[in-house]
Amino acid sequence: QVRLVQSGGGLVEPGGSLRLSCVASGLNFRLYSMDWYRQAPGNQRELVARIASDSTTNYADSVKDRFTISRDNIWNRLYLQMNNLKLEDTAVYYCHTKSRERDFWGQGTQVTVSS
């Protein structure tokens, strides 16, 4: 049974930093591409960053040069370092991966950027 358990997030002022973590179990973590998505109120869920099994990364244009996705294949952890946070980064953030059969999601973590 695949489980993705998230931690981190919270309230931060504009320009601040936060780090999100996601611990994966029930899968051969190093073989899976992993993602961070986010969903703001009234908006569709959007892809923020992706890291492939070979650690190649891709980012949404809105977070490029501010966010960094990384992975630890020993401890089965996924990270999202978020720097220079902006008001528009406020959203619920989700850890994600998928197999051939289905998608797997973390429980979601609220990130609020506010002065």
Side-chain angles (χ1 to χ4, degrees), residues 30-71:
R30 63 182 182 87
L31 298 181
Y32 282 73
S33 178
M34 300 294 300
D35 315 307
W36 287 101
Y37 280 77
R38 68 184 180 187
Q39 188 167 19
N43 289 1
Q44 289 189 335
R45 197 168 293 189
E46 63 173 353
L47 179 64
V48 174
R50 170 167 290 155
I51 185 165
S53 57
D54 65 359
S55 294
T56 302
T57 58
N58 286 285
Y59 296 93
D61 288 342
S62 58
V63 306
K64 225 172 259 185
D65 300 323
R66 299 189 297 121
F67 289 13
T68 302
I69 188 171
S70 61
R71 65 191 299 157

Side-chain angles (χ1 to χ4, degrees), residues 69-113:
I69 188 171
S70 61
R71 65 191 299 157
D72 181 338
N73 289 340
I74 295 176
W75 295 101
N76 290 1
R77 290 181 182 267
L78 177 72
Y79 300 103
L80 186 68
Q81 178 66 42
M82 304 182 291
N83 297 330
N84 190 21
L85 281 158
K86 303 178 179 181
L87 297 175
E88 54 264 38
D89 294 318
T90 295
V92 178
Y93 285 70
Y94 296 91
C95 175
H96 169 265
T97 191
K98 62 181 180 180
S99 66
R100 289 181 191 171
E101 293 80 25
R102 57 162 290 184
D103 291 75
F104 300 96
W105 296 94
Q107 80 274 21
T109 302
Q110 178 68 48
V111 171
T112 302
V113 185

